[in-house]
Each structure stands twice: as C-alpha cells, then as structure tokens.
Amino acid sequence: MNETLVAQDYRQLVEQFGSPLLLLDKAAVRKQYRALAAALPDVRLHYALKPLPHEAVVSVLKEEGACFDLATNGEVDLVRSQGVRPGRCIHTHPIKRDSDIRYALEYGCTVFVYDNPLELEKFLPYKDEVKLLLRVSFPNPETKVDLSKKFGCTPEQALPLLQLAHAKGIKVMGLSFHVGSQVPHARRHVQAIDACREIMEQAWELGLKPWVLDIGGGFPVDYEGGEFDIDGFCAPIREALAKLPATVQKIAEPGRFISAPAMTSVSSVMGKAHRGDKIWYYLDDGLYGSYNGQLYDHVTYPVSTPLARGELHNSVLSGPTCDSVDVIRDGIMLPDLAIGELVVGRVMGAYTWASASTFNFFPKANILILDSSQKGQKMVAVA
Ligand SMILES: *Cc1c(COP(=O)(O)O)cnc(C)c1O
C-alpha cells in the first residue's frame, strides 16, 4: 500500500472523509491469502473473521476461493450477507449456546468444535446433521497470545473424547488445535501436528475414522512493516503434514496473517502541549480506538509522520480520551507537528478496528476501501 499511496494522498483522504481513518487495501488481503496458500499448497485455508470481520475482506477472499472460520452469530451474518456458501464455513468456537448451534445450522454450516463432554452433549439433538472437530490443547509459553490456555482438551483426553462421541453416535471428522497467535516460529505447529498424528493413528486402530486435521492459525506478520518470509516459516509445517496419509484433509484457520498488513491508520493531531522536556501530541485515535491492539494484542505498530519535516524532538503520541493510559508512544523522536498534522500507523489490519471501543464517545475510525492493484482508481468505496 505504501508504494501506491503517497503522503499527499493521506491529506486528501482526510480532507474528503475526515479523521481518523483506516485504509483497507483489498490488494494486500489478496496478496497475503495467495502467499499463504502457496506456502501451504495442500491445506485449505479458512479465514478466521475475528481479527478483521469486514465485508470487503470477506468478498475479496470469497473471490479467491477461500473458506471461512466463524465463531459467532455476527460472523455467520457477515459471511451470509456476502453470499458465502455455508459448505465453505466451519464454526470453531469451542463453547456455544444451543441457540448459537441452531443459528449456524439454519445458515447451513454443519462443522463445529468440541473440547469436553458437556459441549459434546449439546450436539445430541443435531447428531444426524453435524460433523465435529475435537480441539486439542498445546500450551505455548512462547507466544504472547496463548490460545491453548482457555480452550482444548489435553492430548491424553483426546482418545476418550473421540470414543465418547462415537458411543453417542456423533460424527467426529478430525482434530484441531491453535498454538497461539503471532508465534515466533513453527516449532509448536510441528509438535502439535506430530502429536495429532499419533492420536489419529491410535484412533484408526480403534476403528474410529477421523479424516481431517485443522492446524489453526497463528501465522505471524512483521510488525516492523517488512515482508515476512511465510514460505520459510511454513517449510517445517509442510514437512510435518507430509507424514500424514494423503487421505487426511488438512485445513487451517489463518486470521492475522491475512488481514494485518492490509490496513493503515491515519489520525490527526488535535492538540499539543509542552510538558517537561517532551512535546505531547493528542491524536484523534488511540489505545481505546484503532491502537487497542497495543494493549490486548501486545503489538507495537510502526508509526510515522510522513508529511512533517525538520529537527527531531522527544515526543509523546497520545490518544484522545481523558484516560492517562491512553498513550500510543512515549519518548518517540518526531519533527515538530502542527495541529492537524497526520500520523500514520501501519500493519494495523488485525485485532485493531475489530476490538476498538468508542470510550469517551470518540468514534471508531472509518474504514475506507481501496484496491492498490487498480491503477488510477484508488478509492473504491466508503464503509
Ligand atoms: C483467533 C482465532 C484464529 C485466528 O488466529 P490468528 O492467530 O489470527 O491466525 C483461528 N482460529 C481460532 C479458533 C481463533 O480463535
């Protein structure tokens, strides 16, 4: 996006659409999807909507032939509104109300996840319609977002839970796991694949027939803004998957990797003050808005002031709310910024807008859709 959008474009967009903005580049979504699909050629990718549940992302990925990973009724509504066929969707929330199961079934999504006996019970009334994935937990202390703490049975519980489903006449199509988000390397994926392969082999010996392995999400991006070597990252995963029989279907649930590089934040300086030896800038977006991932997602986004020039000063970039925790960066060297000056944040497509609040009544940033692959036509729609 950076090559196509020059600093002056940001100014123009803010003049036209106001501030703060999030610029969503459909070309970046496409590029990320294709890169991961090429790195995992035998794996069917189900985009997890959670990091950026936006119709533009869904429609681009639908065109690309992607599948989708849903977890809530709102996510069901979103894919349905975009005309996604339910057969291309799986519902992966391990904990559901009966009404959630019925909502997804009414749409036509029939694949669900369980990880304990009580959750399995909930499928008894629908046992002729549903196919389940058993989520297994592989705790990962190496990631800041450890998704195996909250969900998943232990590997030891897996076989008994598969047998329990069989005894109740509920079909289990396979195993799934999520080793945590933004993982530093694929080691944990590989360990989990190997462990699941052993569980599946034991299950086959008992006459059970799980035929799917879902390797979850976790695929990382470069939060410095560079190109991430996803092919290199996935090489050990490809090797581990190759040890499974070809008849086993492999699927994944990438979220962050698809959406993170696709959005750029543009916010404006509302006010400034000299406090101590620093210049404080108060922006119209902050930690309660698009930058909330700095709290919840443990990520620091690259920020810049592409239109400002001059000597650098020790500065603070603060959000707009009256809360003192609302500081984006303290001790950043910046040129002197005038009121109205723009601040740009990159790699802000995942776990940003999705989890932003309107605390203090500061509205969430508006998303503008563009397609940087379409020469001469940058702005396509406003959302
Ligand atoms: C959040 C989530 C994902 C996406 O994870 P990323 O790390 O963003 O790729 C996939 N599957 C499930 C079940 C999730 O909860």
Side-chain angles (χ1 to χ4, degrees):
M1 178 180 304
N2 276 12
E3 304 104 58
T4 46
L5 267 189
V6 295
Q8 280 304 334
D9 291 332
Y10 296 133
R11 165 85 55 222
Q12 228 172 38
L13 290 174
V14 165
E15 274 166 16
Q16 197 178 346
F17 298 103
S19 176
L21 294 174
L22 283 163
L23 312 179
L24 169 50
D25 184 0
K26 295 204 279 187
V29 174
R30 219 174 278 129
K31 181 178 160 204
Q32 291 300 102
Y33 177 79
R34 289 180 188 174
L36 187 55
L40 295 173
D42 297 327
V43 180
R44 237 170 134 50
L45 302 182
H46 292 64
Y47 171 63
L49 265 69
K50 179 177 54 169
L52 184 52
H54 195 280
E55 57 187 41
V57 178
V58 172
S59 76
V60 167
L61 292 174
K62 183 189 163 207
E63 284 163 25
E64 291 292 308
C67 297
F68 296 90
D69 167 8
L70 320 173
T72 61
N73 295 350
E75 293 179 0
V76 168
D77 291 341
L78 179 50
V79 290
R80 183 164 40 194
S81 76
Q82 295 304 302
V84 174
R85 279 188 293 107
R88 277 163 77 168
C89 298
I90 58 177
H91 189 295
T92 64
H93 202 311
I95 305 294
K96 297 157 294 297
R97 291 158 292 204
D98 178 60
S99 58
D100 301 325
I101 297 172
R102 272 189 284 121
Y103 201 84
L105 280 175
E106 278 161 23
Y107 164 53
C109 174
T110 55
V111 177
F112 294 89
V113 166
Y114 79 113
D115 68 359
N116 74 79
L118 279 174
E119 208 60 27
L120 184 63
E121 290 276 324
K122 294 180 186 172
F123 290 101
L124 277 173
Y126 315 107
K127 65 179 180 191
D128 297 329
E129 295 168 71
V130 299
K131 292 183 292 263
L132 304 188
L133 289 163
L134 173 62
R135 176 139 161 196
V136 189
S137 158
F138 298 97
N140 190 353
E142 281 178 347
T143 168
K144 295 201 179 123
V145 188
D146 186 355
L147 291 167
S148 277
K149 207 161 50 182
K150 186 161 166 179
F151 301 117
C153 68
T154 65
E156 294 72 36
Q157 292 165 333
L159 217 46
L161 278 168
L162 291 175
Q163 287 173 302
L164 185 62
H166 183 72
K168 290 181 184 290
I170 302 172
K171 197 178 286 170
V172 181
M173 61 194 283
L175 303 179
S176 76
F177 59 79
H178 196 304
V179 293
S181 203
Q182 183 70 9
V183 296
H185 45 71
R187 208 175 298 150
R188 213 65 186 128
H189 281 98
V190 169
Q191 288 168 351
I193 292 166
D194 288 343
C196 285
R197 180 168 47 81
E198 283 171 26
I199 295 167
M200 288 174 97
E201 284 166 357
Q202 290 163 13
W204 295 329
E205 272 169 35
L206 292 173
L208 305 173
K209 298 200 169 52
W211 73 93
V212 175
L213 180 59
D214 176 352
I215 64 170
F219 307 96
V221 295
D222 180 2
Y223 277 106
E224 314 265 288
E227 191 85 19
F228 182 75
D229 174 18
I230 190 64
D231 191 66
F233 179 91
C234 288
I237 296 179
R238 286 195 296 271
E239 253 172 64
L241 289 176
K243 291 188 226 156
L244 283 158
T247 48
V248 172
Q249 284 175 26
K250 294 103 184 169
I251 68 178
E253 308 165 353
R256 180 192 308 275
F257 182 81
I258 307 285
S259 65
M263 281 210 304
T264 299
S265 147
V266 182
S267 56
S268 309
V269 174
M270 307 196 307
K272 73 194 259 193
H274 292 261
R275 304 196 196 281
D277 58 352
K278 290 176 189 164
I279 311 180
W280 280 69
Y281 297 102
Y282 301 84
L283 309 181
D284 53 13
D285 204 347
L287 250 55
Y288 285 95
S290 306
Y291 287 85
N292 73 86
Q294 294 199 172
L295 276 183
Y296 295 125
D297 196 31
H298 315 284
V299 162
T300 307
Y301 307 104
V303 289
S304 63
T305 52
L307 289 159
R309 299 276 173 279
E311 199 186 322
L312 302 181
H313 308 279
N314 197 0
S315 307
V316 180
L317 287 178
S318 151
T321 67
C322 299
D323 186 352
S324 59
V325 81
D326 187 7
V327 169
I328 296 168
R329 208 69 111 252
D330 189 347
I332 184 173
M333 299 303 287
L334 291 175
D336 194 58
L337 307 180
I339 287 173
E341 190 57 84
L342 303 184
V343 174
V344 171
R346 288 186 302 129
V347 207
M348 288 187 64
Y351 306 107
T352 52
W353 178 78
S355 38
S357 79
T358 57
F359 175 54
N360 237 185
F361 287 119
F362 284 100
K364 281 167 72 161
N366 280 323
I367 293 188
L368 301 187
I369 316 296
L370 59 113
D371 190 336
S372 62
S373 68
Q374 308 261 296
K375 284 219 164 45
Q377 193 216 348
K378 278 167 193 156
M379 293 308 308
V380 177
V382 187

